[in-house]
Amino acid sequence: MHLFVLISLLDLSNILVFPVDGSHWINMKVLLEELHARGHNLTVIRASTSWYIPEESPMYSSITINMTEDERFEDFFDEFLREQMRVWSYNGGSAISHFKITNLIETLLDSKYDLVLTDPAIAPGVLLARYLKLPVVLNVRWIPSGEGHLAIAPTPASYIPAPGSGLTDNMTFLQRTKNLFFYGIILFQQRFIVGPHYDVVCQKYFEGECDIISVLQEADIWLFRSDFVFDFPRPTMPNIVYIGGFQCSPAEPLPKLIISIILLQE
Ligand SMILES: *[C@@H]1O[C@H](CO)[C@@H](O)[C@H](O)[C@H]1NC(C)=O
Ligand SMILES: *[C@@H]1O[C@H](CO)[C@@H](O)[C@H](O)[C@H]1NC(C)=O
Ligand SMILES: *[C@@H]1O[C@H](CO)[C@@H](O)[C@H](O)[C@H]1NC(C)=O
């Protein structure tokens, strides 16, 4: 499956993108610019209440989910997967642009996407991909309850500091106890606060047992926004590709004026 995803990335492909709004969009946009430059067809799913994701773009066609300002994220998942979902608008010259209102899921099935590219910080994208039975590429650092590695790689609490704990990989006994406490909070959130929302969607739309972690574990490639330059050593998995720093422009020498100012200050 991983090989298949890589091959279809080399070919020209039809990619369904389910981004997360806000600062996460900045990261996704960088990937989309590259994919667009290489000739891939992109379709971006966005909410009508989106802050930053434009409806019209030369890079992609968009599918706008009509939402009112006071609808919450949980409503969004449910709203999204419900079969009466309507496509509010398409644009960007996509083959399906003549539809104004149609059944979204049917349209998505008809569109023959090769894969879903999504940021799983909130994760409706992975649920949708499972529903459409499409391979998944994640652009990830965070999952709904914590850091991405927690879902797929072993995370020994004795030397992997929990996010937010402020600890390092060299901990005393007391610090390890504190670390366990932080992991406890993450597990608690996963089990009792965040998880149940996904469980409802899982029960409603998928056969057999599933929860958000098991759905995330099915993702084919994890493009991981981190780098061991600024992370402690830890176990990882072969389908994690570290892309930390991909948003940075290539380094260039400082202008002469700035160098003179720095030298003056010394
Ligand atoms: C989108 O939502 C607004 C506000 O609720 C409503 O007025 C409009 O008719 C909706 N459009 C569609 C296509 O459902
Ligand atoms: C991309 O979209 C165009 C226009 O809808 C279509 O003609 C073309 O076949 C698509 N390419 C791929 C690789 O799906
Ligand atoms: C871990 O920290 C202790 C003191 O806090 C220090 O003595 C020890 O050398 C450190 N070990 C490593 C591997 O850095």
Side-chain angles (χ1 to χ4, degrees), residues 57-85:
S57 161
M59 284 196 300
Y60 56 78
S61 321
S62 66
I63 294 174
T64 299
I65 312 277
N66 203 12
M67 287 178 70
T68 53
E69 291 291 343
D70 54 355
E71 269 173 322
R72 295 162 306 152
F73 273 118
E74 303 97 86
D75 301 332
F76 186 64
F77 306 140
D78 206 42
E79 189 75 3
F80 184 79
L81 283 168
R82 205 178 299 148
E83 289 209 83
Q84 292 79 23
M85 274 302 321

Side-chain angles (χ1 to χ4, degrees), residues 12-14 41 93-95:
L12 288 191
S13 35
N14 240 344
N41 275 357
S94 126

